């Protein structure tokens, strides 16, 4: 528990130090509304990499790596640690879980919304 608390403090400190919006990042949207605002915001975030549903699984091995065991990932909901390659639907495996429930808006499994790495996490298959 103490390690988890220290990790949380480290993440918060890192975000405070390095997670700031760069100077001038939103300058292009000043004074805009409607479609012009929408287009300008799109230009700011355009150029990102879209992942396939299979590639999300590969990325989760890095984004959700267990800090106590680099061969594992930490699962959402349970906090259990499973081997990075123990992916599937068995009782000792993990799979992907959408943190925005599909019942509240099914994005499917297609890019970009259904494969957005910001809202997919590893989860114990028996809990998911």
């Amino acid at each position: 528990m103490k390690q988890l608390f220290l990790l949380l403090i480290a993440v918060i400190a890192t975000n405070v130090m390095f997670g700031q919006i760069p100077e001038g990042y939103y300058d292009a949207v000043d004074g805009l509304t409607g479609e012009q605002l929408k287009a300008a915001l799109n230009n700011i975030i355009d150029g990102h990499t879209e992942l396939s549903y299979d590639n999300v699984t590969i990325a989760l091995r890095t984004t959700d790596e267990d800090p106590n065991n680099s061969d594992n990932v930490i699962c959402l909901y349970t906090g259990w640690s499973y081997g990075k390659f123990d992916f599937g639907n068995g009782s000792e495996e993990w799979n992907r879980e959408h943190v925005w429930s599909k019942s509240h808006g099914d994005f499917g499994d297609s890019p970009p919304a259904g494969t957005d790495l910001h809202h997919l996490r590893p989860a114990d298959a028996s809990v998911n």
Side-chain angles (χ1 to χ4, degrees):
M1 184 65 170
K2 185 177 181 181
Q3 290 174 334
L4 183 60
F5 179 73
L6 291 174
L7 177 64
L8 179 62
I9 295 299
V11 168
I12 291 170
T14 300
N15 282 338
V16 169
M17 291 179 353
F18 301 106
Q20 302 300 311
I21 298 170
E23 182 88 23
Y25 187 76
Y26 286 113
D27 286 356
V29 301
D30 283 348
L32 299 180
T33 60
E35 288 301 314
Q36 289 179 324
L37 174 60
K38 183 178 175 182
L41 288 171
N42 183 66
N43 288 337
I44 291 171
I45 64 169
D46 197 28
H48 61 278
T49 302
E50 290 183 4
L51 300 177
S52 69
Y53 201 55
D54 289 336
N55 284 340
V56 166
T57 302
I58 295 166
L60 290 174
R61 293 177 185 146
T62 300
T63 61
D64 292 75
E65 183 177 282
D66 184 340
N68 296 315
N69 182 347
S70 62
D71 293 330
N72 288 8
V73 294
I74 297 288
C75 291
L76 180 70
Y77 305 133
T78 62
W80 295 341
S81 181
Y82 283 123
K84 288 181 177 180
F85 296 94
D86 294 337
F87 182 84
N89 290 311
S91 62
E92 299 284 324
E93 296 176 315
W94 64 276
N95 57 25
R96 300 160 291 226
E97 168 70 0
H98 291 85
V99 297
W100 177 262
S101 171
K102 286 186 171 187
S103 65
H104 293 292
D106 186 357
F107 301 115
D109 301 333
S110 301
T115 63
D116 185 346
L117 194 54
H118 292 97
H119 76 89
L120 286 163
R121 300 274 62 92
D124 178 271
S126 65
V127 174
N128 188 10

